[in-house]
mmCIF file of all heavy atoms in Angstrom:
data_model
loop_
_atom_site.group_PDB
_atom_site.id
_atom_site.type_symbol
_atom_site.label_atom_id
_atom_site.label_comp_id
_atom_site.label_asym_id
_atom_site.label_seq_id
_atom_site.Cartn_x
_atom_site.Cartn_y
_atom_site.Cartn_z
ATOM 1 N N ARG A 1 0.912 -1.173 -0.016
ATOM 2 C CA ARG A 1 0.025 0.026 -0.009
ATOM 3 C C ARG A 1 0.943 1.252 0.005
ATOM 4 O O ARG A 1 1.886 1.302 0.716
ATOM 5 C CB ARG A 1 -0.917 -0.043 1.250
ATOM 6 C CG ARG A 1 -0.171 -0.050 2.544
ATOM 7 C CD ARG A 1 -1.001 -0.513 3.681
ATOM 8 N NE ARG A 1 -0.125 -0.995 4.780
ATOM 9 C CZ ARG A 1 -0.642 -1.392 5.900
ATOM 10 N NH1 ARG A 1 -1.876 -1.504 6.197
ATOM 11 N NH2 ARG A 1 0.232 -1.864 6.816
ATOM 12 N N VAL A 2 0.599 2.164 -0.874
ATOM 13 C CA VAL A 2 1.453 3.345 -1.000
ATOM 14 C C VAL A 2 0.780 4.480 -0.283
ATOM 15 O O VAL A 2 -0.484 4.770 -0.411
ATOM 16 C CB VAL A 2 1.675 3.670 -2.470
ATOM 17 C CG1 VAL A 2 2.523 4.963 -2.618
ATOM 18 C CG2 VAL A 2 2.303 2.555 -3.176
ATOM 19 N N VAL A 3 1.522 5.273 0.618
ATOM 20 C CA VAL A 3 0.968 6.286 1.426
ATOM 21 C C VAL A 3 1.707 7.580 1.153
ATOM 22 O O VAL A 3 2.978 7.580 1.244
ATOM 23 C CB VAL A 3 0.905 5.982 2.888
ATOM 24 C CG1 VAL A 3 0.282 7.063 3.723
ATOM 25 C CG2 VAL A 3 0.310 4.561 3.123
ATOM 26 N N SER A 4 0.992 8.616 0.819
ATOM 27 C CA SER A 4 1.672 9.978 0.712
ATOM 28 C C SER A 4 1.522 10.615 2.056
ATOM 29 O O SER A 4 0.510 10.688 2.683
ATOM 30 C CB SER A 4 0.939 10.793 -0.331
ATOM 31 O OG SER A 4 1.285 12.151 -0.290
ATOM 32 N N LEU A 5 2.644 11.278 2.497
ATOM 33 C CA LEU A 5 2.645 11.969 3.798
ATOM 34 C C LEU A 5 3.330 13.280 3.541
ATOM 35 O O LEU A 5 4.054 13.584 2.650
ATOM 36 C CB LEU A 5 3.490 11.158 4.854
ATOM 37 C CG LEU A 5 2.887 9.785 5.268
ATOM 38 C CD1 LEU A 5 3.910 8.714 5.337
ATOM 39 C CD2 LEU A 5 2.099 9.918 6.518
ATOM 40 N N GLY A 6 2.998 14.224 4.487
ATOM 41 C CA GLY A 6 3.598 15.575 4.330
ATOM 42 C C GLY A 6 3.513 16.333 5.610
ATOM 43 O O GLY A 6 2.949 15.914 6.614
ATOM 44 N N GLY A 7 4.029 17.617 5.585
ATOM 45 C CA GLY A 7 4.008 18.406 6.698
ATOM 46 C C GLY A 7 5.295 19.071 6.965
ATOM 47 O O GLY A 7 6.338 18.596 6.654
ATOM 48 N N ALA A 8 5.263 20.186 7.688
ATOM 49 C CA ALA A 8 6.529 20.883 7.995
ATOM 50 C C ALA A 8 7.339 20.116 9.026
ATOM 51 O O ALA A 8 6.786 19.356 9.846
ATOM 52 C CB ALA A 8 6.215 22.310 8.499
ATOM 53 N N THR A 9 8.600 20.324 9.077
ATOM 54 C CA THR A 9 9.501 19.739 10.086
ATOM 55 C C THR A 9 9.032 20.070 11.504
ATOM 56 O O THR A 9 8.996 19.226 12.360
ATOM 57 C CB THR A 9 10.921 20.260 9.894
ATOM 58 O OG1 THR A 9 11.518 19.825 8.618
ATOM 59 C CG2 THR A 9 11.820 19.751 10.950
ATOM 60 N N GLU A 10 8.420 21.286 11.639
ATOM 61 C CA GLU A 10 7.892 21.687 12.969
ATOM 62 C C GLU A 10 6.790 20.854 13.422
ATOM 63 O O GLU A 10 6.404 20.857 14.618
ATOM 64 C CB GLU A 10 7.543 23.120 12.946
ATOM 65 C CG GLU A 10 8.698 24.198 12.727
ATOM 66 C CD GLU A 10 9.102 24.378 11.301
ATOM 67 O OE1 GLU A 10 8.639 23.604 10.412
ATOM 68 O OE2 GLU A 10 9.863 25.306 11.019
ATOM 69 N N GLY A 11 6.122 20.175 12.456
ATOM 70 C CA GLY A 11 4.916 19.381 12.783
ATOM 71 C C GLY A 11 5.250 17.988 13.311
ATOM 72 O O GLY A 11 4.328 17.161 13.387
ATOM 73 N N SER A 12 6.501 17.717 13.555
ATOM 74 C CA SER A 12 6.958 16.414 14.095
ATOM 75 C C SER A 12 6.802 15.295 12.995
ATOM 76 O O SER A 12 5.809 14.476 13.003
ATOM 77 C CB SER A 12 6.149 16.064 15.315
ATOM 78 O OG SER A 12 6.668 14.770 15.819
ATOM 79 N N ILE A 13 7.744 15.265 12.089
ATOM 80 C CA ILE A 13 7.862 14.370 11.092
ATOM 81 C C ILE A 13 6.808 14.629 9.992
ATOM 82 O O ILE A 13 7.151 15.035 8.864
ATOM 83 C CB ILE A 13 7.759 12.789 11.515
ATOM 84 C CG1 ILE A 13 8.669 12.610 12.818
ATOM 85 C CG2 ILE A 13 8.318 11.881 10.344
ATOM 86 C CD1 ILE A 13 8.420 11.235 13.324
ATOM 87 N N TRP A 14 5.552 14.229 10.272
ATOM 88 C CA TRP A 14 4.439 14.474 9.264
ATOM 89 C C TRP A 14 3.244 15.043 10.003
ATOM 90 O O TRP A 14 3.031 14.848 11.243
ATOM 91 C CB TRP A 14 4.056 13.131 8.699
ATOM 92 C CG TRP A 14 5.174 12.366 7.943
ATOM 93 C CD1 TRP A 14 5.873 12.865 6.947
ATOM 94 C CD2 TRP A 14 5.549 11.051 8.300
ATOM 95 N NE1 TRP A 14 6.811 11.795 6.566
ATOM 96 C CE2 TRP A 14 6.601 10.771 7.350
ATOM 97 C CE3 TRP A 14 5.232 10.160 9.207
ATOM 98 C CZ2 TRP A 14 7.300 9.534 7.423
ATOM 99 C CZ3 TRP A 14 5.885 8.839 9.264
ATOM 100 C CH2 TRP A 14 6.864 8.569 8.282
ATOM 101 N N SER A 15 2.393 15.644 9.199
ATOM 102 C CA SER A 15 1.122 16.280 9.709
ATOM 103 C C SER A 15 -0.075 15.701 9.016
ATOM 104 O O SER A 15 -1.171 15.699 9.544
ATOM 105 C CB SER A 15 1.142 17.789 9.585
ATOM 106 O OG SER A 15 2.193 18.292 10.274
ATOM 107 N N ILE A 16 0.130 15.237 7.749
ATOM 108 C CA ILE A 16 -1.031 14.748 6.967
ATOM 109 C C ILE A 16 -0.648 13.489 6.260
ATOM 110 O O ILE A 16 0.516 13.088 6.080
ATOM 111 C CB ILE A 16 -1.424 15.819 5.914
ATOM 112 C CG1 ILE A 16 -0.254 16.221 4.970
ATOM 113 C CG2 ILE A 16 -1.934 17.081 6.593
ATOM 114 C CD1 ILE A 16 -0.135 15.426 3.734
ATOM 115 N N TYR A 17 -1.702 12.719 5.787
ATOM 116 C CA TYR A 17 -1.481 11.499 5.085
ATOM 117 C C TYR A 17 -2.596 11.280 4.063
ATOM 118 O O TYR A 17 -3.642 11.751 4.159
ATOM 119 C CB TYR A 17 -1.403 10.401 6.047
ATOM 120 C CG TYR A 17 -2.728 9.857 6.600
ATOM 121 C CD1 TYR A 17 -3.389 8.725 6.089
ATOM 122 C CD2 TYR A 17 -3.449 10.677 7.551
ATOM 123 C CE1 TYR A 17 -4.613 8.303 6.609
ATOM 124 C CE2 TYR A 17 -4.742 10.283 7.965
ATOM 125 C CZ TYR A 17 -5.308 9.066 7.476
ATOM 126 O OH TYR A 17 -6.528 8.669 7.963
ATOM 127 N N TYR A 18 -2.242 10.533 3.010
ATOM 128 C CA TYR A 18 -3.192 10.175 1.967
ATOM 129 C C TYR A 18 -2.826 8.808 1.502
ATOM 130 O O TYR A 18 -1.829 8.641 0.719
ATOM 131 C CB TYR A 18 -3.240 11.165 0.804
ATOM 132 C CG TYR A 18 -4.280 10.815 -0.209
ATOM 133 C CD1 TYR A 18 -5.640 11.184 -0.038
ATOM 134 C CD2 TYR A 18 -3.918 10.136 -1.337
ATOM 135 C CE1 TYR A 18 -6.617 10.870 -0.983
ATOM 136 C CE2 TYR A 18 -4.928 9.727 -2.282
ATOM 137 C CZ TYR A 18 -6.238 10.173 -2.128
ATOM 138 O OH TYR A 18 -7.230 9.868 -3.054
ATOM 139 N N PRO A 19 -3.606 7.713 1.773
ATOM 140 C CA PRO A 19 -3.382 6.445 1.180
ATOM 141 C C PRO A 19 -3.751 6.459 -0.268
ATOM 142 O O PRO A 19 -4.792 6.826 -0.625
ATOM 143 C CB PRO A 19 -4.317 5.480 1.983
ATOM 144 C CG PRO A 19 -4.731 6.289 3.154
ATOM 145 C CD PRO A 19 -4.662 7.715 2.716
ATOM 146 N N VAL A 20 -2.763 6.109 -1.150
ATOM 147 C CA VAL A 20 -2.938 6.164 -2.631
ATOM 148 C C VAL A 20 -3.452 4.812 -3.136
ATOM 149 O O VAL A 20 -2.739 4.028 -3.644
ATOM 150 C CB VAL A 20 -1.653 6.583 -3.347
ATOM 151 C CG1 VAL A 20 -1.996 6.880 -4.821
ATOM 152 C CG2 VAL A 20 -0.992 7.719 -2.702
ATOM 153 N N ASP A 21 -4.776 4.552 -2.943
ATOM 154 C CA ASP A 21 -5.313 3.266 -3.328
ATOM 155 C C ASP A 21 -5.618 3.241 -4.812
ATOM 156 O O ASP A 21 -5.688 2.207 -5.384
ATOM 157 C CB ASP A 21 -6.577 3.063 -2.542
ATOM 158 C CG ASP A 21 -6.452 2.966 -1.107
ATOM 159 O OD1 ASP A 21 -5.387 2.403 -0.689
ATOM 160 O OD2 ASP A 21 -7.255 3.533 -0.218
ATOM 161 N N TYR A 22 -5.778 4.451 -5.410
ATOM 162 C CA TYR A 22 -6.191 4.504 -6.755
ATOM 163 C C TYR A 22 -5.679 5.877 -7.332
ATOM 164 O O TYR A 22 -5.617 6.895 -6.633
ATOM 165 C CB TYR A 22 -7.690 4.456 -6.956
ATOM 166 C CG TYR A 22 -8.218 4.942 -8.251
ATOM 167 C CD1 TYR A 22 -8.137 4.092 -9.298
ATOM 168 C CD2 TYR A 22 -8.736 6.177 -8.543
ATOM 169 C CE1 TYR A 22 -8.654 4.409 -10.595
ATOM 170 C CE2 TYR A 22 -9.280 6.543 -9.709
ATOM 171 C CZ TYR A 22 -9.164 5.659 -10.858
ATOM 172 O OH TYR A 22 -9.612 6.079 -12.094
ATOM 173 N N VAL A 23 -5.150 5.892 -8.536
ATOM 174 C CA VAL A 23 -4.613 7.069 -9.186
ATOM 175 C C VAL A 23 -5.556 7.379 -10.328
ATOM 176 O O VAL A 23 -5.607 6.635 -11.375
ATOM 177 C CB VAL A 23 -3.073 6.919 -9.626
ATOM 178 C CG1 VAL A 23 -2.699 8.167 -10.419
ATOM 179 C CG2 VAL A 23 -2.232 6.610 -8.488
ATOM 180 N N ASP A 24 -6.177 8.506 -10.275
ATOM 181 C CA ASP A 24 -7.098 8.956 -11.356
ATOM 182 C C ASP A 24 -6.192 9.458 -12.504
ATOM 183 O O ASP A 24 -5.261 10.267 -12.289
ATOM 184 C CB ASP A 24 -7.998 10.079 -10.823
ATOM 185 C CG ASP A 24 -9.115 10.410 -11.799
ATOM 186 O OD1 ASP A 24 -8.738 10.539 -12.972
ATOM 187 O OD2 ASP A 24 -10.235 10.577 -11.377
ATOM 188 N N PRO A 25 -6.444 8.906 -13.752
ATOM 189 C CA PRO A 25 -5.752 9.405 -14.892
ATOM 190 C C PRO A 25 -5.700 10.920 -15.097
ATOM 191 O O PRO A 25 -4.830 11.499 -15.783
ATOM 192 C CB PRO A 25 -6.328 8.649 -16.108
ATOM 193 C CG PRO A 25 -7.030 7.425 -15.460
ATOM 194 C CD PRO A 25 -7.489 7.922 -14.116
ATOM 195 N N GLU A 26 -6.750 11.539 -14.558
ATOM 196 C CA GLU A 26 -6.812 13.024 -14.764
ATOM 197 C C GLU A 26 -6.081 13.768 -13.682
ATOM 198 O O GLU A 26 -5.929 15.001 -13.787
ATOM 199 C CB GLU A 26 -8.341 13.398 -14.642
ATOM 200 C CG GLU A 26 -9.191 12.787 -15.685
ATOM 201 C CD GLU A 26 -8.804 13.184 -17.080
ATOM 202 O OE1 GLU A 26 -8.582 14.326 -17.298
ATOM 203 O OE2 GLU A 26 -8.742 12.217 -17.969
ATOM 204 N N TRP A 27 -5.568 13.127 -12.701
ATOM 205 C CA TRP A 27 -4.827 13.817 -11.637
ATOM 206 C C TRP A 27 -3.581 14.437 -12.152
ATOM 207 O O TRP A 27 -2.835 13.903 -12.917
ATOM 208 C CB TRP A 27 -4.434 12.847 -10.458
ATOM 209 C CG TRP A 27 -5.606 12.501 -9.564
ATOM 210 C CD1 TRP A 27 -6.836 12.975 -9.642
ATOM 211 C CD2 TRP A 27 -5.534 11.561 -8.483
ATOM 212 N NE1 TRP A 27 -7.577 12.396 -8.633
ATOM 213 C CE2 TRP A 27 -6.795 11.499 -7.966
ATOM 214 C CE3 TRP A 27 -4.502 10.734 -7.982
ATOM 215 C CZ2 TRP A 27 -7.107 10.712 -6.803
ATOM 216 C CZ3 TRP A 27 -4.843 9.894 -6.874
ATOM 217 C CH2 TRP A 27 -6.098 9.910 -6.334
ATOM 218 N N LYS A 28 -3.327 15.735 -11.643
ATOM 219 C CA LYS A 28 -2.044 16.437 -11.983
ATOM 220 C C LYS A 28 -1.073 16.217 -10.858
ATOM 221 O O LYS A 28 0.112 16.545 -10.962
ATOM 222 C CB LYS A 28 -2.318 17.857 -12.245
ATOM 223 C CG LYS A 28 -3.307 18.139 -13.325
ATOM 224 C CD LYS A 28 -2.748 19.065 -14.362
ATOM 225 C CE LYS A 28 -3.703 19.398 -15.446
ATOM 226 N NZ LYS A 28 -3.801 18.359 -16.416
ATOM 227 N N SER A 29 -1.636 15.795 -9.595
ATOM 228 C CA SER A 29 -0.765 15.523 -8.403
ATOM 229 C C SER A 29 -1.563 14.622 -7.482
ATOM 230 O O SER A 29 -2.724 14.464 -7.621
ATOM 231 C CB SER A 29 -0.428 16.859 -7.705
ATOM 232 O OG SER A 29 -1.605 17.489 -7.257
ATOM 233 N N ILE A 30 -0.829 14.001 -6.601
ATOM 234 C CA ILE A 30 -1.439 13.196 -5.533
ATOM 235 C C ILE A 30 -2.144 14.087 -4.615
ATOM 236 O O ILE A 30 -1.571 15.073 -4.112
ATOM 237 C CB ILE A 30 -0.402 12.279 -4.819
ATOM 238 C CG1 ILE A 30 0.425 11.464 -5.847
ATOM 239 C CG2 ILE A 30 -0.997 11.440 -3.766
ATOM 240 C CD1 ILE A 30 -0.416 10.479 -6.649
ATOM 241 N N PRO A 31 -3.385 13.798 -4.148
ATOM 242 C CA PRO A 31 -4.082 14.606 -3.214
ATOM 243 C C PRO A 31 -3.281 14.836 -1.885
ATOM 244 O O PRO A 31 -2.592 13.924 -1.473
ATOM 245 C CB PRO A 31 -5.353 13.924 -2.970
ATOM 246 C CG PRO A 31 -5.531 13.067 -4.232
ATOM 247 C CD PRO A 31 -4.220 12.659 -4.649
ATOM 248 N N TYR A 32 -3.323 15.995 -1.297
ATOM 249 C CA TYR A 32 -2.554 16.289 -0.196
ATOM 250 C C TYR A 32 -2.945 15.427 1.021
ATOM 251 O O TYR A 32 -2.111 15.107 1.790
ATOM 252 C CB TYR A 32 -2.774 17.828 0.162
ATOM 253 C CG TYR A 32 -1.694 18.312 1.119
ATOM 254 C CD1 TYR A 32 -0.301 18.238 0.810
ATOM 255 C CD2 TYR A 32 -2.014 18.898 2.406
ATOM 256 C CE1 TYR A 32 0.609 18.643 1.766
ATOM 257 C CE2 TYR A 32 -1.082 19.415 3.244
ATOM 258 C CZ TYR A 32 0.258 19.252 2.924
ATOM 259 O OH TYR A 32 1.203 19.708 3.792
ATOM 260 N N GLY A 33 -4.230 15.173 1.226
ATOM 261 C CA GLY A 33 -4.631 14.258 2.339
ATOM 262 C C GLY A 33 -5.273 15.026 3.477
ATOM 263 O O GLY A 33 -5.771 16.120 3.338
ATOM 264 N N LYS A 34 -5.334 14.280 4.595
ATOM 265 C CA LYS A 34 -6.009 14.824 5.746
ATOM 266 C C LYS A 34 -5.168 14.745 7.015
ATOM 267 O O LYS A 34 -4.154 13.973 6.992
ATOM 268 C CB LYS A 34 -7.337 14.103 5.941
ATOM 269 C CG LYS A 34 -7.190 12.591 6.025
ATOM 270 C CD LYS A 34 -8.604 12.028 6.010
ATOM 271 C CE LYS A 34 -8.510 10.515 6.034
ATOM 272 N NZ LYS A 34 -9.821 9.842 6.016
ATOM 273 N N PRO A 35 -5.465 15.484 8.061
ATOM 274 C CA PRO A 35 -4.584 15.522 9.227
ATOM 275 C C PRO A 35 -4.362 14.196 9.963
ATOM 276 O O PRO A 35 -5.318 13.340 10.063
ATOM 277 C CB PRO A 35 -5.201 16.526 10.104
ATOM 278 C CG PRO A 35 -6.144 17.321 9.277
ATOM 279 C CD PRO A 35 -6.590 16.376 8.225
ATOM 280 N N LEU A 36 -3.245 13.993 10.492
ATOM 281 C CA LEU A 36 -2.951 12.816 11.365
ATOM 282 C C LEU A 36 -3.605 13.136 12.781
ATOM 283 O O LEU A 36 -4.127 14.273 12.993
ATOM 284 C CB LEU A 36 -1.496 12.627 11.498
ATOM 285 C CG LEU A 36 -0.757 12.032 10.298
ATOM 286 C CD1 LEU A 36 0.784 12.214 10.389
ATOM 287 C CD2 LEU A 36 -1.159 10.628 10.034
ATOM 288 N N ALA A 37 -3.603 12.152 13.653
ATOM 289 C CA ALA A 37 -4.300 12.315 14.879
ATOM 290 C C ALA A 37 -3.693 13.474 15.705
ATOM 291 O O ALA A 37 -2.527 13.706 15.693
ATOM 292 C CB ALA A 37 -4.111 11.000 15.721
ATOM 293 N N ASN A 38 -4.628 14.226 16.263
ATOM 294 C CA ASN A 38 -4.313 15.373 17.191
ATOM 295 C C ASN A 38 -3.478 16.428 16.387
ATOM 296 O O ASN A 38 -2.785 17.276 17.026
ATOM 297 C CB ASN A 38 -3.356 14.872 18.340
ATOM 298 C CG ASN A 38 -4.158 13.881 19.130
ATOM 299 O OD1 ASN A 38 -5.243 13.962 19.440
ATOM 300 N ND2 ASN A 38 -3.413 12.764 19.414
ATOM 301 N N GLN A 39 -3.711 16.533 15.070
ATOM 302 C CA GLN A 39 -3.058 17.563 14.216
ATOM 303 C C GLN A 39 -4.201 18.225 13.479
ATOM 304 O O GLN A 39 -5.226 17.617 13.161
ATOM 305 C CB GLN A 39 -1.946 17.061 13.328
ATOM 306 C CG GLN A 39 -0.864 16.335 14.177
ATOM 307 C CD GLN A 39 0.431 16.273 13.475
ATOM 308 O OE1 GLN A 39 0.927 17.277 13.063
ATOM 309 N NE2 GLN A 39 0.995 15.054 13.378
ATOM 310 N N THR A 40 -3.983 19.441 13.016
ATOM 311 C CA THR A 40 -4.976 20.154 12.247
ATOM 312 C C THR A 40 -4.438 20.714 11.039
ATOM 313 O O THR A 40 -3.162 20.973 10.940
ATOM 314 C CB THR A 40 -5.622 21.299 13.097
ATOM 315 O OG1 THR A 40 -4.596 22.168 13.530
ATOM 316 C CG2 THR A 40 -6.346 20.754 14.273
#
């Protein structure tokens, strides 16, 4: 399973995640995702 993660260094490693279960042929980028636990 491929997971996209992101966030500033100040956010403690990562702040957001997006499991890439499917790639839409129309996508120009992987969706940014949603917050990890206790993060906004």
Side-chain angles (χ1 to χ4, degrees):
R1 56 196 160 182
V2 179
V3 185
S4 168
L5 295 139
T9 297
E10 293 84 349
S12 181
I13 317 174
W14 304 299
S15 302
I16 57 94
Y17 76 107
Y18 182 84
V20 190
D21 299 321
Y22 167 77
V23 177
D24 190 313
E26 301 298 316
W27 283 356
K28 304 234 183 282
S29 63
I30 303 298
Y32 194 58
K34 53 188 178 182
L36 290 165
N38 303 312
Q39 305 203 51
T40 55

